[in-house]
Amino acid sequence: MGSGWSSEEEERQPLLGPGLGPAPGAARRGWEATAVLPAAGPNPGRVYGRRWLVLLLFSLLAFAQGLVWNTWGPIQNSARQAYGFSGWDIALLVLWGPIGFLPCFAFMWLLDKRGLRVTVLLTSFLMVLGTGLRCIPVSDLALKKRLIHGGQILNGLAGPTVMNAAPFLSTTWFSADERATATAIASMLSYLGGACAFLVGPLVVPAPNGTAPLLAAESSRAHIKDRIETVLYAEFGVVCLIFSATLAYFPPRPPLPPSVAAASQRLSYRRSFCRLLSNLRFLMIALAYAIPLGVFAGWSGVLDLILTPVHVSQVDAGWIGFWSIVGGCVVGIAMARFADFIRGMLKLILLLLFSGATLSSTWFTLTCLNSITHLPLTTVTLYASCILLGVFLNSSVPIFFELFVETVYPVPEGITCGVVTFLSNMFMGVLLFFVTFYHTELSWFNWCLPGSCLLSLLLILCFRESYDRLYLDVVVSV
């Protein structure tokens, strides 16, 4: 990032020009400026109204990717009857999401070398192919299942961009006092798409077990299959519209950078990985993000299976998943806006969020063991514990992203977030792999939640924060 505003030779220039060195005591407070300032040129700091349109298009793309990824989890019982899916098929359809992160480093390279427009267009095109593949009308169920799996794979390949590029976009287009908010909106919309799958799927597709009201007469296999295909065609249409919009207008960068940090030269691709892997503080906070968020993502993907033993219907499980993610998105954007106003408080915000996540996940796990703990197992307690857990964990994502970038600046944002989301998806993939073989007994999965949240809380508590990028914008620009 920044290659459009500064030359490669500037990477060898002094870090700060004459008279622009760090303030006394800045190093002790973790406010070291380690980026390269651009050569003489226009004074950076201009923002453009079109930044909101760019943010909207990217957020809609992220929303659609999350929606398509979570199509099958909330309607897994209906999909089994309509297409003959096994437990392995259902788990694998969810697993294609984290598997799609295996070529994550190729997308990170593309974002770093070719910029935002090329990467977003390739991502949206993969989603068009994936959603279109699922809609091909064939009568052979075995072939139809292969097409559906192929479509989910292509949609999974779009995951690295929509999950990693939010901080890159916010730095490229937004000023320092809007960056956290823009990061939150762009990153949270993917989760919101997954939440809407919890709502759209169970409401449109009838449940085969007759637990949903007024649907007993409509639970035939042919009718369920028609309703599922309606959802698939609708998702294909939405993705095509978003691809057309990004093809028509999605500039790679504004004419002038919005901040000093946006105009500064970043490290090369190879040097960035060396910096990340040798930075113990980054590895500590990366694990604090990857482990609990990976566990929670895998847990959310099979929430229907987890709640079935406690006699929760497919529709109720969908509503629980929906409100937990929606609450996290709303609180996440609010927290990011707060972080824009009160700078230098990212660690404190994360400590508060993960304290709440540890308590709420413990509450949910003990509630599911009501035969031992004698805690009341009601719809209200399940809703409350799941929603609170989703609020605390999902709202931490944009705060983590901003803290990652501040910690390892001037490593490019896409590379930094790509590494941590790759780790998170690998944790989710491993857990879902075990779910595939133990899908009839998932009580152990519930215990992973409070354990991972507590571990993350301890790692954040020991983490020493720094704000290198913020120093560059606030002090050097003055």
Side-chain angles (χ1 to χ4, degrees):
M1 175 342 356
S3 59
W5 294 307
S6 55
S7 64
E8 196 170 305
E9 289 77 9
E10 290 160 5
E11 190 172 359
R12 296 187 291 271
Q13 294 178 359
L15 296 182
L16 296 175
L20 293 177
R28 292 192 300 271
R29 296 192 301 269
W31 288 69
E32 303 91 353
T34 55
V36 180
L37 292 180
N43 183 33
R46 180 176 178 181
V47 293
Y48 298 83
R50 71 191 79 167
R51 69 191 187 279
W52 297 109
L53 177 59
V54 173
L55 178 63
L56 174 63
L57 290 175
F58 182 87
S59 301
L60 289 176
L61 182 68
F63 177 90
Q65 199 274 340
L67 179 68
V68 173
W69 168 74
N70 199 29
T71 298
W72 303 99
I75 58 170
Q76 55 96 14
N77 290 327
S78 303
R80 288 177 187 233
Q81 180 166 329
Y83 297 106
F85 282 141
S86 63
W88 163 260
D89 287 313
I90 297 297
L92 192 58
L93 288 170
V94 179
L95 195 60
W96 290 129
I99 290 176
F101 272 76
L102 290 177
C104 173
F105 300 106
F107 284 91
M108 291 157 51
W109 176 87
L110 186 66
L111 182 65
D112 186 50
K113 298 298 182 181
R114 301 300 180 185
L116 200 57
R117 176 176 171 82
V118 172
T119 309
V120 168
L121 285 177
L122 175 61
T123 298
S124 56
F125 181 67
L126 289 173
M127 291 174 59
V128 169
L129 291 179
T131 53
L133 205 61
R134 304 185 308 171
C135 295
I136 296 177
V138 292
S139 57
D140 185 358
L141 284 182
L143 178 58
K144 184 66 176 181
K145 287 197 291 186
R146 293 191 187 98
L147 292 174
I148 291 173
H149 279 287
Q152 293 300 121
I153 293 173
L154 290 174
N155 184 76
L157 292 175
T161 299
V162 301
M163 294 298 296
N164 300 339
F168 185 96
L169 182 147
S170 64
T171 300
T172 303
W173 284 92
F174 289 84
S175 59
D177 59 353
E178 295 176 335
R179 274 198 303 247
T181 304
T183 298
I185 294 172
S187 59
M188 289 288 94
L189 263 290
S190 176
Y191 292 87
L192 188 60
C196 285
F198 281 111
L199 178 63
V200 173
L203 289 182
V204 175
V205 180
N209 54 15
T211 57
L214 302 179
L215 292 179
E218 301 177 331
S219 60
S220 67
R221 178 169 170 260
H223 180 70
I224 292 175
K225 185 178 178 182
D226 289 341
R227 300 297 289 269
I228 292 178
E229 289 181 351
T230 299
V231 173
L232 299 183
Y233 281 115
E235 291 177 350
F236 176 59
V238 169
V239 171
C240 287
L241 287 176
I242 297 173
F243 173 70
S244 301
T246 54
L247 186 62
Y249 183 79
F250 198 92
R253 68 177 71 87
L256 292 176
S259 63
V260 174
S264 63
Q265 182 69 34
R266 304 305 171 88
L267 299 181
S268 65
Y269 190 76
R270 182 179 59 83
R271 290 181 61 195
S272 295
F273 278 99
C274 294
R275 174 74 67 90
L276 293 177
L277 296 178
S278 62
N279 191 322
L280 293 180
R281 291 194 305 123
F282 169 74
L283 295 177
M284 178 188 297
I285 200 67
L287 290 177
Y289 167 87
I291 296 176
L293 269 298
V295 171
F296 180 69
W299 178 84
S300 300
V302 292
L303 184 60
D304 190 17
L305 291 172
I306 290 174
L307 295 177
T308 297
V310 292
H311 309 294
V312 175
S313 69
Q314 180 173 282
V315 173
D316 282 334
W319 279 110
I320 291 174
F322 174 77
W323 287 116
S324 66
I325 299 176
V326 168
C329 293
V330 173
V331 175
I333 294 174
M335 284 290 183
R337 194 63 190 143
F338 174 77
D340 276 331
F341 280 112
I342 311 297
R343 301 175 183 178
M345 303 284 286
L346 299 179
K347 177 180 176 179
L348 177 61
I349 294 174
L350 288 176
L351 286 173
L352 295 175
L353 292 176
F354 272 86
S355 297
T358 303
L359 293 175
S360 57
S361 59
T362 303
W363 180 22
F364 172 82
T365 302
L366 295 178
T367 299
C368 291
L369 297 174
N370 67 317
S371 60
I372 300 175
T373 61
H374 302 292
L375 292 175
L377 178 61
T378 64
T379 303
V380 174
T381 57
L382 288 175
Y383 265 77
S385 57
C386 287
I387 290 173
L388 286 175
L389 177 60
V391 166
F392 289 127
L393 285 181
N394 288 325
S395 61
S396 69
V397 172
I399 307 300
F400 265 122
F401 280 179
E402 289 297 301
L403 187 58
F404 293 145
V405 175
E406 295 287 353
T407 300
V408 297
Y409 186 84
V411 176
E413 291 85 353
I415 296 177
T416 302
C417 296
V419 170
V420 295
T421 54
F422 176 81
L423 291 174
S424 177
N425 278 271
M426 290 306 100
F427 278 109
M428 178 174 68
V430 170
L431 286 172
L432 289 177
F433 177 79
F434 282 104
V435 169
T436 301
F437 295 99
Y438 301 100
H439 60 273
T440 57
E441 177 55 56
L442 292 176
S443 58
W444 62 271
F445 212 157
N446 292 335
W447 285 107
C448 291
L449 282 171
S452 61
C453 291
L454 180 60
L455 175 62
S456 179
L457 182 63
L458 296 176
L459 290 173
I460 296 170
L461 190 61
C462 299
F463 175 73
R464 179 177 60 84
E465 60 188 336
S466 63
Y467 296 90
D468 300 343
R469 183 182 61 167
L470 182 60
Y471 169 82
L472 194 66
D473 281 325
V474 174
V475 179
V476 175
S477 60
V478 175

